[in-house]
Coordinates of all heavy atoms in Angstrom, one line a residue:
V20 N -18.4 -2.7 25.7 CA -18.3 -4.1 25.4 C -16.9 -4.5 25.1 O -16.4 -5.5 25.6 CB -19.2 -4.5 24.2 CG1 -18.9 -5.9 23.7 CG2 -20.7 -4.3 24.6
I21 N -16.2 -3.6 24.4 CA -14.8 -3.9 24.0 C -13.9 -3.9 25.3 O -13.1 -4.8 25.5 CB -14.2 -2.9 23.0 CG1 -14.9 -3.2 21.7 CG2 -12.7 -3.0 22.9 CD1 -14.5 -2.2 20.6
N22 N -14.1 -2.9 26.2 CA -13.4 -2.9 27.4 C -13.7 -4.1 28.3 O -12.8 -4.7 28.9 CB -13.6 -1.6 28.2 CG -13.0 -0.4 27.5 OD1 -12.0 -0.5 26.8 ND2 -13.6 0.8 27.7
T23 N -14.9 -4.5 28.3 CA -15.3 -5.7 29.1 C -14.7 -6.9 28.5 O -14.2 -7.8 29.3 CB -16.9 -5.8 29.1 OG1 -17.4 -4.6 29.7 CG2 -17.3 -7.0 30.0
A24 N -14.7 -7.0 27.2 CA -14.0 -8.2 26.5 C -12.6 -8.2 26.9 O -12.0 -9.3 27.2 CB -14.2 -8.1 25.0
I25 N -11.9 -7.1 26.9 CA -10.5 -7.0 27.3 C -10.3 -7.5 28.7 O -9.4 -8.3 29.0 CB -9.9 -5.6 27.0 CG1 -9.9 -5.3 25.5 CG2 -8.5 -5.5 27.6 CD1 -9.6 -3.9 25.2
D26 N -11.2 -7.0 29.6 CA -11.1 -7.4 31.0 C -11.3 -8.9 31.2 O -10.6 -9.5 32.0 CB -12.1 -6.6 31.9 CG -11.7 -5.1 32.0 OD1 -10.6 -4.7 31.8 OD2 -12.6 -4.3 32.3
I27 N -12.3 -9.4 30.5 CA -12.6 -10.8 30.6 C -11.4 -11.6 30.1 O -10.9 -12.6 30.7 CB -13.9 -11.2 29.8 CG1 -15.1 -10.6 30.5 CG2 -14.0 -12.7 29.7 CD1 -16.4 -10.8 29.7
K28 N -10.8 -11.2 28.9 CA -9.7 -11.9 28.3 C -8.5 -11.9 29.3 O -7.9 -12.9 29.5 CB -9.2 -11.2 27.0 CG -8.0 -11.7 26.4 CD -7.6 -10.9 25.2 CE -6.2 -11.3 24.8 NZ -5.1 -10.5 25.3
N29 N -8.2 -10.7 29.9 CA -7.1 -10.6 30.9 C -7.3 -11.5 32.1 O -6.4 -12.2 32.5 CB -6.9 -9.2 31.3 CG -6.3 -8.3 30.2 OD1 -5.8 -8.9 29.2 ND2 -6.5 -7.0 30.2
S30 N -8.6 -11.6 32.5 CA -8.9 -12.4 33.7 C -8.7 -13.9 33.3 O -8.1 -14.7 34.1 CB -10.3 -12.2 34.2 OG -10.5 -10.8 34.6
L31 N -9.2 -14.3 32.2 CA -9.1 -15.7 31.8 C -7.7 -16.1 31.5 O -7.3 -17.2 31.8 CB -10.0 -15.9 30.6 CG -11.5 -15.9 30.8 CD1 -12.3 -16.1 29.5 CD2 -11.9 -17.0 31.8
N32 N -6.9 -15.1 30.9 CA -5.5 -15.4 30.6 C -4.8 -15.7 32.0 O -3.8 -16.5 32.0 CB -4.8 -14.3 29.9 CG -5.1 -14.4 28.4 OD1 -5.6 -15.5 27.9 ND2 -5.0 -13.3 27.7
S33 N -5.2 -14.9 33.0 CA -4.5 -15.1 34.2 C -4.7 -16.5 34.9 O -4.0 -17.0 35.7 CB -4.8 -14.0 35.2 OG -6.2 -14.1 35.6
I34 N -5.8 -17.1 34.5 CA -6.1 -18.5 35.0 C -5.9 -19.5 33.9 O -6.3 -20.6 33.9 CB -7.5 -18.6 35.6 CG1 -8.6 -18.2 34.5 CG2 -7.6 -17.8 36.8 CD1 -10.0 -18.5 35.0
N35 N -5.1 -19.1 32.8 CA -4.7 -20.0 31.7 C -5.9 -20.6 31.0 O -5.8 -21.8 30.6 CB -3.7 -21.1 32.2 CG -2.5 -20.5 32.7 OD1 -2.0 -19.5 32.2 ND2 -1.9 -21.0 33.8
N36 N -6.9 -19.9 30.8 CA -8.1 -20.4 30.0 C -8.2 -19.6 28.7 O -8.8 -18.6 28.7 CB -9.4 -20.3 30.8 CG -10.6 -20.9 30.1 OD1 -10.4 -21.3 28.9 ND2 -11.7 -20.9 30.7
T37 N -7.6 -20.1 27.7 CA -7.6 -19.4 26.4 C -8.4 -20.1 25.3 O -8.2 -19.8 24.1 CB -6.2 -19.1 25.9 OG1 -5.5 -20.3 25.8 CG2 -5.5 -18.2 26.9
E38 N -9.1 -21.1 25.7 CA -9.8 -21.9 24.6 C -11.2 -21.4 24.4 O -11.9 -22.0 23.5 CB -9.8 -23.4 25.1 CG -8.5 -24.0 25.1 CD -8.5 -25.5 25.5 OE1 -9.5 -26.1 25.2 OE2 -7.5 -25.9 26.0
N39 N -11.7 -20.4 25.0 CA -13.0 -19.9 24.8 C -13.1 -19.1 23.5 O -12.2 -18.3 23.3 CB -13.4 -19.0 26.0 CG -14.8 -18.6 26.0 OD1 -15.4 -18.2 25.0 ND2 -15.4 -18.8 27.2
S40 N -14.1 -19.3 22.6 CA -14.1 -18.7 21.4 C -14.4 -17.2 21.5 O -14.0 -16.4 20.7 CB -15.3 -19.3 20.5 OG -16.5 -19.0 21.1
F41 N -15.0 -16.7 22.6 CA -15.2 -15.3 22.9 C -13.8 -14.6 23.0 O -13.7 -13.5 22.5 CB -16.0 -15.1 24.2 CG -16.3 -13.7 24.5 CD1 -17.2 -13.0 23.8 CD2 -15.6 -13.1 25.5 CE1 -17.5 -11.7 24.0 CE2 -15.9 -11.7 25.8 CZ -16.8 -11.0 25.1
I42 N -12.9 -15.3 23.6 CA -11.5 -14.7 23.7 C -10.9 -14.5 22.3 O -10.3 -13.5 22.0 CB -10.6 -15.6 24.6 CG1 -11.2 -15.7 26.0 CG2 -9.2 -15.1 24.6 CD1 -11.4 -14.4 26.7
H43 N -11.1 -15.5 21.5 CA -10.5 -15.4 20.1 C -11.1 -14.2 19.4 O -10.4 -13.4 18.8 CB -10.8 -16.7 19.3 CG -10.3 -16.6 17.9 ND1 -9.0 -16.6 17.6 CD2 -11.0 -16.5 16.8 CE1 -8.8 -16.5 16.3 NE2 -10.0 -16.5 15.8
L44 N -12.4 -14.0 19.5 CA -13.1 -12.8 18.9 C -12.6 -11.5 19.5 O -12.3 -10.6 18.7 CB -14.6 -12.9 19.0 CG -15.3 -14.1 18.2 CD1 -16.8 -14.1 18.6 CD2 -15.1 -13.9 16.8
S45 N -12.4 -11.5 20.8 CA -12.0 -10.2 21.4 C -10.5 -9.9 21.0 O -10.2 -8.7 20.9 CB -12.1 -10.2 22.9 OG -11.2 -11.2 23.5
E46 N -9.7 -10.9 20.7 CA -8.3 -10.7 20.3 C -8.4 -10.0 18.9 O -7.6 -9.1 18.7 CB -7.5 -12.0 20.2 CG -7.2 -12.5 21.6 CD -6.5 -13.8 21.5 OE1 -6.5 -14.4 20.5 OE2 -6.1 -14.3 22.6
D47 N -9.3 -10.4 18.0 CA -9.4 -9.8 16.7 C -9.8 -8.3 16.8 O -9.3 -7.5 16.2 CB -10.4 -10.5 15.8 CG -9.8 -11.9 15.4 OD1 -8.6 -12.1 15.5 OD2 -10.6 -12.7 15.0
V48 N -10.8 -8.1 17.7 CA -11.3 -6.7 17.9 C -10.2 -5.8 18.5 O -10.2 -4.6 18.1 CB -12.5 -6.7 18.8 CG1 -13.0 -5.3 19.2 CG2 -13.7 -7.5 18.1
T49 N -9.4 -6.3 19.3 CA -8.4 -5.5 20.0 C -7.0 -5.6 19.5 O -6.1 -5.2 20.1 CB -8.4 -5.8 21.5 OG1 -8.0 -7.2 21.7 CG2 -9.8 -5.6 22.2
S50 N -6.9 -6.1 18.2 CA -5.5 -6.2 17.7 C -4.8 -4.9 17.6 O -5.5 -3.9 17.3 CB -5.5 -6.9 16.3 OG -6.2 -6.1 15.4
K51 N -3.6 -4.8 17.8 CA -2.8 -3.6 17.8 C -2.4 -3.2 16.4 O -2.0 -4.1 15.6 CB -1.5 -3.8 18.7 CG -0.8 -2.6 19.0 CD 0.3 -2.8 20.0 CE 0.9 -1.4 20.3 NZ 1.7 -1.4 21.5
I52 N -2.4 -1.9 16.1 CA -2.0 -1.4 14.8 C -0.5 -0.9 15.0 O -0.2 -0.2 15.9 CB -2.9 -0.2 14.4 CG1 -4.4 -0.7 14.3 CG2 -2.4 0.4 13.1 CD1 -4.6 -1.7 13.3
F53 N 0.3 -1.3 14.0 CA 1.7 -0.9 14.0 C 1.9 0.1 12.8 O 1.3 0.0 11.8 CB 2.6 -2.1 13.8 CG 2.5 -3.1 14.9 CD1 1.6 -4.2 14.8 CD2 3.2 -2.9 16.1 CE1 1.5 -5.1 15.8 CE2 3.0 -3.8 17.2 CZ 2.2 -4.9 17.0
N54 N 2.9 1.0 13.0 CA 3.3 1.9 11.9 C 4.8 1.7 11.7 O 5.6 1.7 12.6 CB 3.0 3.3 12.3 CG 1.5 3.6 12.5 OD1 0.7 3.3 11.7 ND2 1.2 4.2 13.6
K55 N 5.1 1.7 10.4 CA 6.5 1.7 10.0 C 6.7 2.8 8.9 O 5.9 2.9 8.0 CB 7.0 0.4 9.4 CG 7.3 -0.7 10.5 CD 7.9 -1.9 9.8 CE 8.1 -3.0 10.9 NZ 8.6 -4.2 10.3
E56 N 7.8 3.5 9.0 CA 8.1 4.5 8.0 C 9.3 4.0 7.1 O 10.2 3.4 7.6 CB 8.6 5.8 8.7 CG 8.9 6.9 7.7 CD 9.2 8.2 8.3 OE1 8.6 8.6 9.3 OE2 10.2 8.9 7.8

Side-chain angles (χ1 to χ4, degrees):
V20 170
I21 290 173
N22 288 335
T23 303
I25 293 169
D26 291 340
I27 292 171
K28 175 186 171 266
N29 291 339
S30 297
L31 290 174
N32 280 342
S33 68
I34 58 172
N35 296 322
N36 182 358
T37 58
E38 295 184 25
N39 192 312
S40 64
F41 181 74
I42 298 305
H43 178 70
L44 292 174
S45 67
E46 286 172 356
D47 289 343
V48 171
T49 62
S50 63
K51 189 169 183 169
I52 302 295
F53 300 96
N54 295 310
K55 281 189 182 176
E56 182 176 320

